[in-house]
Amino acid sequence: MTTAAVTADGRPVKAKPATMAQALGRALRDSMAEDPTVHVLGEDVGTLGGVFRITDGLAEEFGDDRCTDTPLAEAGILGAAVGMAMYGLRPVVEMQFDAFAYPAFEQLMSHVAKMRNRTGGAMPLPITVRVPYGGGIGGVEHHSDSSEAYYMATPGLHVVTPATVDDAYGLLRESIASDDPVVFLEPKRLYWSKADWSPEAPAAVEPIGRAVVRRPGRSATLITYGPSLPVCMEAAEAALAEGWDLEVVDLRSLVPFDDETVAASVRRTGRAVVVHESPGFGGPGGEIAARITERCFHHLEAPVLRVAGFDIPYPPPMLERHHLPGVDRVLDAVARLQWEADS
Amino acid sequence: MTVQELPGAAAYRPTPPPAWKPITDPAPLLPDPEPYRVLGTDAVADVDPELLLRLHAELVRGRRYNAQATALTKQGRLAVYPSSTGQEACEIAAALVLEERDWLFPSYRDTLAAVARGLDPVEALTLLRGDRHTGYDPREHRIAPLCTPLATQLPHAVGLAHAARLKGDDVVALAMVGDGGTSEGDFHEALNFAAVWKAPVVFFVQNNGFAISVPLAKQTAAPSLAHKAVGYGMPGRLVDGNDAAAVHQVLSEAVARARRGEGPTLVEAVTYRMEAHTNADDATRYRVDSEVEAWKAHDPVRLLERELTERGLLDDTGIEQAKEAAERMAAALRDRMNADPELAPMDLFTHVYAEQTSQLREQATALRAELDAEQDHDEHGPEAGR
């Protein structure tokens, strides 16, 4: 729910096209400028500015101690961040690519997620783990995984993923300010998506934990997040030609999960399709479909369907377009929503 | 500022990267071929007799603490206790070399180090008695939670020491790990980070011969665990882990070096685990009695007592007094551990997030209802509430 950007004295700010990557970089910069305990660390985040240039200029502006090029070791990076947070800093860790975060799993699962709990609330860890995730950029193997299900299944972590330029800025700022650890999943194929955006007075965004209706509709609800939001928006436009008026819900946060917004939407429309590009089996869609069924069973006109990536290791770039759920696959699912029973 | 003026949009002129200077002579980093000893050597003359007496009193207490905690497992008061009997010199020295502002990062076997650092013995045992995982505020005592996964606390020590130095605080972190833990990736990553960052950390390996059942020869092919230091560009030190004075001295030097800003040190203490891995383990399956007997002759408490009595610093009365003090500690611990801890089921949901998620609120409500029904049943019989 964005509001028009205004300056401090109330004048509207003239927004210019900005990319999600720029907004993320600006969120890091603003957080660091505001709070001296915010430190960025990771492989290549300093001089190079990150392989996606998200951290560009931070080392120059804040120095190597605040934006640190580390040795190449993800467990070490996150493990060191744990110690830094224990001493009162707010580390923001960059994992460079989704599959490169796996060596840090033990630190994430055993320590980052559990430290607040293990210490009876005495030692929260305000760590943000930035993970560029998902496919669609033609990356070679191990550069395109959708790892959100692993993080979702780990109590103690927040799992956040923006789909818009405004959310990229707003949600990252909130994640850094959060006293809980946040796995911040950046849909890397949206890094270069643009929107009119005002770094001087960024739009207000809904907080972490709230889903947002991106497009109201009456016929069915598409529930999605991150990289699949543009796909669903496009599908909703295309569906008009078939006479379907689709509502699109952007989850924004997988943990905490906004049952209320999702259930309210499905109760209105009576039909739901969950869309994500990570594999469907054991994936987020199963959990979401179950939650909808538990809450909205008597409102449902059709089973909750899932449109997901295939249950395969992420395919080579030349085949990824067949794997990733596109507009047609979403529309096919919508077509299977037992419309005839409705008439 | 406009989008075009976002940081990094301007032409960035990189500063020249720092030059990597190869260490042409690694000799100063290498440990001595034999573990360093003080007791029974001329070096002991330089040790403050007060320190020796303090070490002795703490060792006797520590030995008794280990025995009491092991007994508590047999009474079902502790779920498990990984004893450090035979390793008390390492535990005590680790606690005593640190200043109050410093941090200790213990492994699951290092309860005794935490107690010797001043932690309430009952609080130190909360994890092991099956109560909440960490019974104390780590920041208050500057003792990280006892770490159950292997070596994962080492990078925490590095990050904390690094953060302290960035803040301008004169703080050293001492991180403890066993011989088995040195095979873990986190051990490697922690040492590498610490050396590159010159973090004020001391890595303290207690090589007690076995990782549960696996002997050192099946754990590593290195000349010694202390030798691993040279690969990271930090000094490795080998010390007799049953010689309390030697361990104290070597760790003190390593801590002082870290405090001077000269970076981390890896200290390997060669010692022996006299008991099984835990009460759940049968050590007779993997080691022979003769080996255990041989180590008994090199017992850390006896070594120190012999030194002190030979030098006339301690007599039978003094030994008796130390034992009595240890007995009083054990009796108090026994008494306090006899009470069942009061656990509140609703606490399951209290410390997962700063603010409970709606999912956790729902689950908490469901558990609350279960508990109320149970209570109803207990108070009013099975027909209640129907």
Side-chain angles (χ1 to χ4, degrees):
Chain A
M1 223 159 291
T2 58
T3 56
V6 290
T7 59
D9 54 359
R11 285 177 299 113
V13 171
K14 206 176 167 194
K16 295 183 177 183
T19 63
M20 180 181 279
Q22 285 172 317
L24 290 166
R26 183 59 188 239
L28 289 170
R29 188 213 161 268
D30 289 354
S31 295
M32 292 174 85
E34 223 167 71
D35 180 352
T37 67
V38 175
H39 284 240
V40 168
L41 64 159
E43 164 78 357
D44 297 311
V45 297
T47 306
L48 182 67
V51 291
F52 293 107
R53 303 294 181 271
I54 309 292
T55 57
D56 204 2
L58 297 180
E60 200 178 21
E61 184 171 352
F62 298 101
D64 292 343
D65 285 346
R66 297 276 310 276
C67 180
T68 307
D69 275 334
T70 63
L72 208 176
E74 289 76 12
I77 294 168
L78 189 52
V82 169
M84 291 165 76
M86 287 170 88
Y87 205 77
L89 301 184
R90 280 185 188 273
V92 183
V93 162
E94 178 174 304
M95 282 299 172
Q96 201 159 86
F97 281 95
D98 31 57
F100 297 173
Y102 300 156
F105 255 44
E106 187 183 15
Q107 285 293 341
L108 192 67
M109 307 285 149
S110 297
H111 293 292
V112 175
K114 293 180 179 151
M115 192 66 86
R116 173 187 287 279
N117 192 256
R118 291 170 74 210
T119 60
M123 190 170 262
L125 293 180
I127 298 173
T128 304
V129 185
R130 293 181 40 240
V131 186
Y133 83 119
I137 64 160
V140 295
E141 61 166 357
H142 302 115
H143 287 71
S144 301
D145 284 15
S146 295
S147 35
E148 57 267 37
Y150 310 130
Y151 304 121
M152 283 174 73
T154 306
L157 301 176
H158 288 308
V159 184
V160 171
T161 177
T164 68
V165 175
D166 283 330
D167 265 356
Y169 179 85
L171 289 177
L172 183 52
R173 294 273 277 149
E174 280 189 38
S175 298
I176 295 169
S178 168
D179 285 335
D180 282 318
V182 179
V183 175
F184 192 86
L185 298 167
E186 299 174 1
K188 61 173 102 72
R189 71 170 141 133
L190 301 185
Y191 270 153
W192 303 280
S193 65
K194 284 189 179 179
D196 289 342
W197 186 71
S198 312
E200 260 188 11
V205 295
E206 288 289 311
I208 289 175
R210 297 230 189 107
V212 163
V213 176
R214 294 287 178 205
R215 184 192 187 288
R218 292 171 290 106
S219 313
T221 304
L222 301 179
I223 296 143
T224 191
Y225 55 86
S228 293
L229 177 67
V231 175
C232 288
M233 294 298 277
E234 200 185 326
E237 287 307 313
L240 287 172
E242 308 284 335
W244 297 316
D245 178 19
L246 303 181
E247 181 148 308
V248 180
V249 173
D250 175 7
L251 293 173
R252 303 167 73 251
S253 157
L254 298 169
V255 181
F257 186 82
D258 186 351
D259 284 301
E260 208 176 309
T261 302
V262 171
S265 172
V266 177
R267 284 185 191 130
R268 274 195 302 274
T269 62
R271 292 180 170 85
V273 180
V274 187
V275 183
H276 60 64
E277 69 178 58
S278 78
F281 189 85
E287 175 64 31
I288 296 166
R291 304 190 79 81
I292 292 172
T293 309
E294 286 167 357
R295 281 164 183 75
C296 313
F297 183 74
H298 295 293
H299 295 81
L300 285 173
E301 306 285 347
V304 181
L305 298 183
R306 286 171 291 169
V307 177
F310 297 130
D311 299 330
I312 58 170
Y314 198 85
M318 291 173 80
L319 292 174
E320 69 179 354
R321 70 188 175 87
H322 300 292
H323 167 70
L324 293 171
V327 170
D328 288 347
R329 214 170 279 164
V330 175
L331 291 175
D332 285 349
V334 174
R336 293 203 310 277
L337 287 174
Q338 301 186 1
W339 297 103
E340 63 283 2
D342 205 22
S343 50
Chain B
M1 189 184 266
T2 66
V3 172
Q4 282 70 30
E5 290 164 346
L6 279 173
Y12 178 48
R13 286 177 298 280
T15 48
W20 179 71
K21 293 185 209 102
I23 297 172
T24 49
D25 178 16
L29 303 180
L30 287 168
D32 292 332
E34 287 299 317
Y36 177 70
R37 291 193 176 90
V38 168
L39 299 179
T41 73
D42 294 342
V44 78
D46 298 330
V47 185
D48 178 8
E50 286 298 315
L51 174 63
L52 289 177
L53 283 167
R54 174 147 189 235
L55 285 170
H56 175 260
E58 292 286 348
L59 250 61
V60 172
R61 257 164 57 93
R63 171 67 48 93
R64 186 66 189 85
Y65 182 91
N66 275 327
Q68 185 57 58
T70 302
L72 287 167
T73 62
K74 291 174 181 151
Q75 296 160 14
R77 285 286 168 195
L78 281 181
V80 67
Y81 184 72
S83 168
S84 58
T85 299
Q87 304 175 220
E88 291 92 342
C90 300
E91 298 284 311
I92 303 302
L96 295 195
V97 296
L98 296 180
E99 301 287 340
E100 201 182 328
R101 62 186 179 280
D102 295 333
W103 273 74
L104 182 73
F105 285 79
S107 82
Y108 58 86
R109 196 180 297 286
D110 303 316
T111 320
L112 188 52
V115 172
R117 182 160 166 74
L119 191 61
D120 180 330
V122 172
E123 286 186 351
L125 290 171
T126 40
L127 168 75
L128 300 165
R129 80 195 297 197
D131 194 344
R132 66 200 158 91
H133 305 306
T134 306
Y136 53 92
D137 181 344
R139 285 202 181 95
E140 184 189 338
H141 299 278
R142 292 167 193 86
I143 302 171
L146 295 171
C147 189
T148 308
L150 292 185
T152 52
Q153 79 279 24
L154 306 182
H156 305 171
V158 176
L160 182 134
H162 177 64
R165 199 168 59 139
L166 291 182
K167 282 191 171 183
D169 295 345
D170 174 28
V171 167
V172 173
L174 191 155
M176 303 176 77
V177 67
D179 42 300
T182 65
S183 299
E184 294 281 358
D186 280 57
F187 172 83
H188 159 73
E189 297 192 16
L191 265 69
N192 192 46
F193 270 63
V196 171
W197 285 354
K198 267 198 162 187
V201 189
V202 175
F203 298 101
F204 183 36
V205 180
Q206 291 180 72
N207 169 10
N208 68 10
F210 293 88
I212 303 190
S213 70
V214 179
L216 194 69
K218 290 187 179 180
Q219 195 69 245
T220 182
S224 78
L225 299 175
H227 272 85
K228 291 177 182 255
V230 67
Y232 302 101
M234 74 174 78
R237 295 290 173 252
L238 192 58
V239 62
D240 182 338
N242 287 18
D243 180 336
V247 181
H248 188 277
Q249 194 174 322
V250 169
L251 285 182
S252 295
E253 282 165 13
V255 167
R257 184 173 177 275
R259 220 183 282 291
R260 288 195 302 269
E262 292 169 30
T265 304
L266 172 63
V267 176
E268 176 193 356
V270 182
T271 181
Y272 197 75
R273 190 186 77 212
M274 298 305 290
E275 309 281 339
H277 165 62
T278 68
N279 48 305
D281 164 44
D282 175 9
T284 62
R285 290 175 74 102
Y286 53 83
R287 66 187 188 191
V288 291
D289 288 347
S290 58
E291 185 181 90
V292 183
E293 288 306 312
W295 275 94
K296 274 186 186 163
H298 197 60
D299 180 89
V301 184
R302 285 178 59 187
L303 280 183
L304 191 52
E305 269 179 10
R306 192 162 64 207
E307 182 74 51
L308 285 164
T309 46
E310 277 175 12
R311 295 180 65 200
L313 294 166
L314 191 68
D315 56 15
D316 287 349
T317 316
I319 292 174
E320 212 40 56
Q321 278 169 354
K323 279 187 177 157
E324 279 165 15
E327 262 330 304
R328 285 194 297 276
M329 176 277 301
L333 177 59
R334 225 170 22 239
D335 279 354
R336 293 178 63 203
M337 291 294 287
N338 268 335
D340 283 321
E342 297 258 340
L343 297 184
M346 296 313 290
D347 279 356
L348 286 173
F349 304 102
T350 312
H351 301 298
V352 184
Y353 297 100
E355 194 184 324
Q356 279 182 11
T357 61
S358 61
Q359 290 75 35
L360 283 186
R361 280 197 299 274
E362 279 174 21
Q363 290 161 30
T365 305
L367 179 62
R368 182 76 266 167
E370 276 178 33
L371 292 170
D372 289 346
E374 264 178 36
Q375 200 185 348
D376 234 26
H377 183 280
D378 291 347
E379 284 172 9
H380 306 292
E383 297 303 316
R386 290 216 173 147

